[in-house]
Amino acid sequence: MGESFSFQTKLLHNRWKMDEHTGAVSVPVQHASTFHQADFDTFGKYDYSRSGNPTREALEATIAELEGGVRGFAFSSGMAAISTAFLLLSKGDHVLVTEDVYGGTYRMITEVLSRFGIEYTFVDMTDLHEVASHIRPNTKVIYIETPSNPLLKITDIRGIVKLAKANGCLTFLDNTFMTPALQRPLDLGVDVVLHSATKFLAGHSDVLAGLAVVKDEELAKRLYKLQNAFGAVLGVQDAWLVLRGLKTLHVRLKQSSQTALEIAQFFAKHPKVEEVYYPGLSHHAGHSIHRYQASGFGAVLSFRLADEEAVRTLVKHVKIPVFAVSLGAVESILSYPAKMSHAAMPKEEREKRGITDGLLRLSVGLEAADDLIADFDEALSYVKTRPEAVSR
């Protein structure tokens, strides 16, 4: 249904537009954990909710359609989705990972996968030569985040896919920041797309969820076996909340992205902001690559102040954004990666990647751009200027 519709319209008018039995315009929430089987020899479509549930299936089918995949999978969190996908690996395999990956992914790779004999290497994935030189005979997965968290580094998706296919590797891509509204990795040849649906897809800071989508039927069967075996599935009430959030994804992202660009431009001119990281700025490294492979710049940006003292001062005086972990919500969220999203990463590793004690990440919500800019402008007025700072 609605194959010719635009993405914006598909969010509302799809197979799950209404319940075929009642005409209800909201997907029914099926709380049953088990299902009666009418036939002793042939079980029905559903038998136990870990293996399949009508409400979760509605979300899984919806994200598969939006990402252009053959099958979607809903998990209890973004990390559950990522961890289950990593279970496609076996002892002795090697995974190549973008260096400033989300802290939870870093922890999973370095502290959990490593205990099962899975090897790993972190590389600067913005440099294709660097990636190519680190591919080993036992490399089975190349793991991409683009834009990356929190420095918004841009990876050439097609370039990585070409390297992966030439070396018999799978490609995983965390599409949390962009969502299928702005970036469609499966269309660019990626094998597995991953989401923390907690963020932009659900969009209201009220649900914890993860999603995965694959384009290949055989890979879908393998991932389903792992989802069913590992069992970190999404509950039905949370599946319903994500489905509801998806309906407004386009308008939320459009508004928030527009404001994010205005704020990034404001920060870029502010003397107390030392660096701004946002793909929408023409001087941002990878800006042209991102424009080629995505249809928008997103609602997340990062900016660097002089040091931790400057961060403390700003956070103390800023009024509108909540100061919290997470992102992608209707309210703006200001985060401190060094002690929040990347706390799992040792200080030495963080700083090597440019995640300094002066770095802040801002997920822009639906507040008025002028209000947010005025709020940051006032808060920055309390930040001391470094004596050696050169005015820009």
Side-chain angles (χ1 to χ4, degrees), residues 101-114:
V101 74
Y102 168 59
T105 307
Y106 177 91
R107 177 173 49 212
M108 178 66 193
I109 292 163
T110 60
E111 296 182 23
V112 181
L113 293 186
S114 59

Side-chain angles (χ1 to χ4, degrees), residues 8 178-179 181-182 200 248-262 278 295-299 364-366:
Q8 181 178 357
M178 289 289 103
T179 81
L182 300 180
F200 289 104
T248 58
L249 174 64
H250 183 270
V251 289
R252 286 188 287 105
L253 257 184
K254 185 178 179 182
Q255 175 69 36
S256 294
S257 299
Q258 184 180 319
T259 303
L261 178 59
E262 291 181 45
Y278 182 64
S295 58
F297 302 115
V364 180
L366 298 179

